Amino acid sequence: MNDFQQLKDALHQSLSSQNFVKLTLSKPIRKSDGLPNVYVRLIKIKDEEKFQFTYRYTTNDKVKNYTVSEAIAELETLLLENFRAATLFTLENDLLVFVSKKKKVSYKKNAPSFQNKLPDSHDKPKDRIASGNYLQHLGITDKNGKVIHKMADKYRQINKYLEIIEGLLKSTKLPQKINIVDMGSGKGYLTFALYDYLVNQKKYNATVTGIELREGLVNYCNDIAAKSAFKNLSFVAQPIQDYDNNKIDILIALHACDTATDDAIYKGLSAKASLIICAPCCHKQIRQQVKGKEQESPLLKYGIFKERQFEMVTDTIRALILEKYNYNTKVFEFISNEHTRKNVMLVGTKSSKKVDVSKVSNKIEGIKEAYQIENHYLETLL
């Protein structure tokens, strides 16, 4: 019997007594869901009380607001389908909820963990992860550490990137000494932020190398690395294809143009990197192959839809190829569309699970057949 009545009663009681603090869901049934926790707090929106659910995925957070009845229904669903444990924190006591594999519900009461309630403001200020003098050298902050107005979007992007990295590292098995290669590092905004976050803030033993074709940018970045005293950060001027170091633990390729993304993924796969992080840019290779071919799908009648569809096709095949080579793959939004349409991030985490290679290969061939694609550039590299 699925008996959540005690939890429902305790939740209603905490609301009427005004001693609700928060509720946490833990012990996920399937780690593959990438959802280790859900956090519930009480907020006020236009003087109306709502429960705010923060779904803490390994790569990002999703937030939804519910009425009391909606929140109770959502809690019951999550405890039956996604989690084995919950804790309701009130000022009176902590109520622990356990759900067995056979869906039997049991409870335990503990002394209260909190003496005060959480703020009920909807607009909770976010912590800034990015800080340090490198931001001033890069022209993102002024000499007082204040973000320069025209660089505010770039600063937000850096913080979002570091949030994603933080989540990914929790679910990735890495060696004690980590070798990171950022291919197509450009002006190095995200490369510097990553180094500072990993080495100076989190105290990882990490070496970061930026690969960039333009020698002027490489000299510029190496100069800033020296000014910032980032000893294990360096930049090299060479094509991605020529980089021959097989010792790559984390491979990063953000907005590497067209097939440069595939060259980078290939290097990561060859090195059996633990983590491959890409934000693909333009997708010309597939589009050029299908140019002039009549497509059956009405979705491909209009040019703008055709372009977007082939971006999705290109990145889907990339994700499937990563799966084929024993990577758990995720595709998600990197930054919001208001800043750029090139906002997709593709992540592959090395897995030890056996993969059905023929099944994945059939999926790839099915996509190619449906869209009359002869080959994907990454396939030709492999």
Side-chain angles (χ1 to χ4, degrees):
M1 182 181 174
N2 300 323
D3 188 6
F4 292 105
Q5 195 58 49
Q6 190 175 337
L7 173 61
K8 293 175 192 176
D9 291 344
L11 199 54
H12 281 297
Q13 176 64 33
S14 70
L15 291 175
S16 61
S17 305
Q18 296 189 336
N19 65 13
F20 174 87
V21 179
K22 67 174 184 175
L23 190 145
T24 302
L25 293 162
S26 58
K27 296 188 179 176
I29 293 171
R30 295 171 299 277
K31 286 187 179 178
S32 58
D33 287 350
L35 180 62
N37 296 99
V38 175
Y39 299 107
V40 184
R41 60 194 283 260
L42 202 57
I43 61 166
K44 270 189 180 175
I45 304 176
K46 295 179 182 176
D47 294 327
E48 186 185 353
E49 278 192 333
K50 293 254 179 128
F51 280 107
Q52 185 177 82
F53 281 58
T54 300
Y55 299 81
R56 185 63 53 83
Y57 288 92
T58 49
T59 54
N60 64 331
D61 288 357
K62 287 185 179 175
V63 177
K64 289 185 180 179
N65 299 325
Y66 297 108
T67 62
V68 177
S69 57
E70 288 170 343
I72 287 171
E74 177 67 2
L75 283 172
E76 194 164 343
T77 301
L78 288 168
L79 282 167
L80 286 173
E81 297 177 6
N82 302 89
F83 295 94
R84 296 204 189 281
T87 305
L88 169 61
F89 298 94
T90 72
L91 299 179
E92 190 180 335
N93 56 51
D94 294 351
L95 179 66
L96 282 65
V97 187
F98 306 98
V99 184
S100 71
K101 287 183 181 180
K102 293 182 178 178
K103 308 298 181 190
K104 187 181 177 184
V105 185
S106 57
Y107 295 89
K108 183 185 177 184
K109 279 187 181 179
N110 283 347
S113 301
F114 293 89
Q115 292 181 332
N116 298 298
K117 295 205 289 185
L118 301 178
D120 60 1
S121 167
H122 179 58
D123 300 314
K124 182 174 174 272
K126 267 198 167 183
D127 292 334
R128 290 181 170 189
I129 304 176
S131 61
N133 65 350
Y134 75 93
L135 291 166
Q136 186 185 332
H137 296 315
L138 288 168
I140 293 169
T141 60
D142 61 21
K143 61 184 179 182
N144 298 315
K146 189 179 177 183
V147 178
I148 295 165
H149 181 69
K150 67 177 182 179
M151 299 302 287
D153 281 353
K154 178 57 69 178
Y155 185 69
R156 274 194 292 272
Q157 185 195 41
I158 288 170
N159 277 288
K160 180 64 179 174
Y161 174 61
L162 295 179
E163 277 180 41
I164 290 168
I165 293 292
E166 188 177 38
L168 290 172
L169 291 179
K170 287 176 184 174
S171 57
T172 306
K173 192 176 180 182
L174 291 163
Q176 282 193 324
K177 190 177 188 308
I178 308 166
N179 196 35
I180 301 164
V181 182
D182 189 344
M183 296 194 164
S185 51
K187 286 186 178 177
Y189 293 117
L190 300 177
T191 323
F192 278 95
L194 178 68
Y195 180 89
D196 182 67
Y197 173 70
L198 291 178
V199 176
N200 296 331
Q201 293 187 43
K202 293 295 181 181
K203 308 301 178 188
Y204 280 97
N205 182 1
T207 301
V208 180
T209 307
I211 308 298
E212 172 55 47
L213 265 178
R214 293 161 286 185
E215 199 161 337
L217 284 179
V218 167
N219 292 336
Y220 167 79
C221 288
N222 278 326
D223 182 50
I224 291 177
K227 284 178 184 174
S228 306
F230 288 179
K231 292 178 183 177
N232 291 324
L233 172 63
S234 61
F235 294 82
V236 181
Q238 67 175 171
I240 290 170
Q241 301 96 310
D242 293 352
Y243 186 77
D244 61 358
N245 184 357
N246 274 330
K247 184 73 181 75
I248 303 173
D249 300 305
I250 299 176
L251 183 284
I252 297 168
L254 304 179
H255 304 124
C257 213
D258 196 24
T259 55
T261 296
D262 299 304
D263 289 320
I265 293 173
Y266 170 65
K267 291 291 180 182
L269 289 173
S270 300
K272 295 183 171 61
S274 300
L275 189 60
I276 295 174
I277 305 168
C278 299
C281 195
C282 49
H283 303 69
K284 295 174 188 171
Q285 188 250 337
I286 294 292
R287 287 209 313 273
Q288 286 168 347
Q289 276 191 53
V290 299
K291 210 172 183 178
K293 292 180 181 177
E294 190 68 36
Q295 298 287 338
E296 287 183 22
S297 172
L299 288 171
L300 302 175
K301 182 179 177 182
Y302 305 101
I304 189 169
F305 291 155
K306 188 181 285 190
E307 183 181 340
R308 291 177 186 177
Q309 184 80 352
F310 284 118
E311 283 179 9
M312 287 193 286
V313 168
T314 303
D315 291 337
T316 299
I317 294 176
R318 283 171 175 153
L320 287 169
I321 290 171
L322 281 167
E323 280 184 29
K324 191 174 170 180
Y325 283 82
N326 268 88
Y327 283 80
N328 292 326
T329 57
K330 290 172 186 162
V331 180
F332 53 91
E333 189 178 71
F334 176 22
I335 48 174
S336 67
N337 273 323
E338 66 190 274
H339 304 303
T340 174
R341 245 192 61 241
K342 309 295 182 187
N343 68 332
V344 167
M345 188 168 267
L346 166 63
V347 172
T349 310
K350 192 74 176 140
S351 171
S352 57
K353 290 179 183 175
K354 275 198 169 185
V355 66
D356 189 337
V357 175
S358 61
K359 189 177 178 182
V360 179
S361 297
N362 288 339
K363 286 180 183 177
I364 295 168
E365 291 307 314
I367 293 171
K368 285 160 63 181
E369 192 177 327
Y371 292 99
Q372 302 181 59
I373 298 164
E374 289 167 27
N375 60 67
H376 190 292
Y377 178 67
L378 182 54
E379 286 183 298
T380 63
L381 293 174
L382 293 161

